[in-house]
């Protein structure tokens, strides 16, 4: 005999909870994803700065710990520092959101593969936020949405 949600109070509660979760708008989910992942990367970028320049400690990490293939440590440190400030700022305002999410997703992949392969649970969480933005867009609370309306692309 199949269990019916009309006969079992526990199933009615579960169905009600699922119904409420289904009402969470994408705009809210996308905003939380954008702001939270932007915070992660921006804070990381801040640790690489000494005033307006890349810190000696960041350069040391890229030379001795991170050791990315194909890039000099100095170039990698500067590129990472710029990316960790630029793309999060764009995500916060929702401008070029998909491009920014894709860039940070690639950065996450590089970190996962070459720097901290054991940190996949953290990187998977980052990737989930970035994939959501990449796949579904930044939501209506974004400059991307406003510009799309302005140019008739909604």
């Amino acid at each position: 005999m199949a269990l019916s949600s009309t006969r079992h109070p526990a199933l009615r509660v579960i169905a009600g909870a699922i119904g409420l979760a289904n009402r969470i708008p994408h705009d809210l989910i996308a905003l939380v994803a954008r702001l939270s992942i932007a915070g992660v990367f921006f804070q990381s970028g801040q640790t690489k700065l000494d005033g307006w320049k890349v810190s000696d400690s960041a350069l040391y990490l890229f030379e001795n710990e991170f050791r990315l293939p194909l890039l000099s440590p100095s170039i990698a440190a500067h590129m990472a520092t710029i990316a960790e400030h630029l793309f999060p700022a764009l995500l916060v305002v929702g401008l070029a959101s998909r491009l920014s999410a894709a860039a940070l997703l690639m950065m996450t992949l590089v970190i996962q593969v070459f720097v901290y392969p054991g940190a996949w649970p953290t990187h998977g969480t980052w990737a989930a936020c970035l994939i959501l933005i990449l796949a579904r867009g930044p939501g209506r609370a974004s400059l991307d949405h406003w510009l799309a309306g302005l140019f008739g692309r909604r």
Side-chain angles (χ1 to χ4, degrees):
M1 177 168 109
L3 295 177
S4 166
S5 63
T6 58
R7 293 189 190 149
H8 299 283
L11 294 177
R12 281 197 304 272
V13 170
I14 292 169
I18 291 170
L20 284 174
N22 284 335
R23 291 183 177 170
I24 300 171
H26 167 73
D27 298 324
L28 177 61
I29 297 166
L31 180 62
V32 170
R34 284 179 19 228
L35 296 178
S36 60
I37 199 63
V40 168
F41 279 93
F42 187 83
Q43 287 176 353
S44 177
Q46 289 289 284
T47 67
K48 293 174 178 65
L49 288 177
D50 181 13
W52 286 97
K53 67 180 190 80
V54 175
S55 68
D56 291 338
S57 60
L59 289 169
Y60 177 85
L61 284 174
F62 277 86
E63 290 169 356
N64 297 292
E65 186 175 335
F66 299 163
R67 291 188 250 181
L68 299 175
L70 307 175
L71 287 175
S72 80
S74 178
I75 290 173
H78 284 84
M79 286 176 60
T81 303
I82 291 167
E84 288 178 334
H85 285 89
L86 174 64
F87 296 122
L90 290 172
L91 282 178
V92 167
V93 297
L95 182 61
S97 302
R98 288 182 167 166
L99 171 70
S100 299
L104 293 175
L105 186 59
M106 291 303 105
M107 195 169 178
T108 300
L109 182 62
V110 168
I111 294 166
Q112 173 59 38
V113 171
F114 296 109
V115 182
Y116 297 119
W120 62 266
T122 298
H123 301 146
T125 303
W126 298 355
C129 289
L130 295 165
I131 290 168
L132 172 81
I133 298 161
L134 189 58
R136 301 292 164 99
R140 289 183 283 190
S142 67
L143 287 177
D144 288 338
H145 181 79
W146 180 76
L147 289 169
L150 190 65
F151 293 106
R153 293 187 190 154
R154 271 193 217 147

